[in-house]
Amino acid sequence: MNAPDAPGDPDAPEEPLTCARCGRTADTLPLTWTFSVEDGRRVYFCEDCSRTNLRAIEGRLDSSWW
Protein backbone atom coordinates (compact mmCIF):
# COMPACT_ATOMS: atom_id res chain seq x y z
CA MET A 1 0.00 0.00 0.00
CA ASN A 2 1.33 3.43 -0.91
CA ALA A 3 1.85 6.08 1.71
CA PRO A 4 -0.21 9.25 1.23
CA ASP A 5 1.32 11.52 -1.39
CA ALA A 6 3.84 8.83 -2.38
CA PRO A 7 5.15 8.79 -5.95
CA GLY A 8 2.58 7.16 -8.18
CA ASP A 9 -0.25 8.04 -5.78
CA PRO A 10 -3.20 9.30 -7.87
CA ASP A 11 -4.19 11.62 -4.99
CA ALA A 12 -0.74 13.22 -4.81
CA PRO A 13 -0.86 17.00 -5.27
CA GLU A 14 0.18 18.53 -8.55
CA GLU A 15 3.15 20.78 -8.13
CA PRO A 16 3.66 23.66 -7.71
CA LEU A 17 0.98 23.98 -5.06
CA THR A 18 -1.11 27.11 -4.55
CA CYS A 19 -2.86 28.18 -1.36
CA ALA A 20 -6.59 28.40 -2.06
CA ARG A 21 -6.94 31.49 0.19
CA CYS A 22 -3.96 33.77 -0.48
CA GLY A 23 -2.34 32.33 -3.61
CA ARG A 24 1.05 31.56 -2.02
CA THR A 25 2.88 28.86 -3.95
CA ALA A 26 5.27 26.07 -2.97
CA ASP A 27 7.30 23.71 -5.16
CA THR A 28 6.63 20.76 -2.85
CA LEU A 29 4.06 20.18 -0.12
CA PRO A 30 5.41 21.76 3.11
CA LEU A 31 4.65 19.88 6.33
CA THR A 32 3.01 23.00 7.75
CA TRP A 33 0.34 23.25 5.02
CA THR A 34 -3.12 21.71 5.44
CA PHE A 35 -5.63 20.43 2.95
CA SER A 36 -9.34 19.86 2.80
CA VAL A 37 -11.45 17.78 0.45
CA GLU A 38 -14.15 20.03 -0.97
CA ASP A 39 -16.44 19.00 -3.82
CA GLY A 40 -14.34 15.87 -4.30
CA ARG A 41 -11.00 17.64 -4.76
CA ARG A 42 -8.12 18.52 -2.46
CA VAL A 43 -7.77 22.21 -1.61
CA TYR A 44 -4.49 23.31 0.01
CA PHE A 45 -3.91 26.11 2.54
CA CYS A 46 -0.57 27.66 3.56
CA GLU A 47 0.59 27.85 7.16
CA ASP A 48 -0.59 31.44 7.68
CA CYS A 49 -4.07 30.85 6.25
CA SER A 50 -4.37 27.59 8.20
CA ARG A 51 -3.51 29.32 11.49
CA THR A 52 -5.84 32.24 10.82
CA ASN A 53 -8.79 29.92 10.09
CA LEU A 54 -7.99 27.07 12.49
CA ARG A 55 -11.36 27.09 14.28
CA ALA A 56 -13.29 26.88 10.99
CA ILE A 57 -11.01 24.11 9.74
CA GLU A 58 -11.47 22.09 12.94
CA GLY A 59 -15.23 22.65 12.64
CA ARG A 60 -14.99 21.10 9.16
CA LEU A 61 -16.53 24.13 7.49
CA ASP A 62 -15.89 24.43 3.77
CA SER A 63 -13.52 27.28 2.94
CA SER A 64 -16.41 29.18 1.35
CA TRP A 65 -17.73 29.72 4.91
CA TRP A 66 -14.56 31.43 6.13
Side-chain angles (χ1 to χ4, degrees), residues 12-46:
E14 294 182 18
E15 296 172 5
L17 296 169
T18 303
C19 175
R21 298 289 297 168
C22 71
R24 180 180 292 170
T25 59
D27 291 330
T28 60
L29 181 60
L31 293 175
T32 55
W33 281 36
T34 59
F35 77 91
S36 174
V37 177
E38 298 179 10
D39 296 323
R41 66 181 183 88
R42 285 187 184 189
V43 181
Y44 292 88
F45 303 100
C46 71

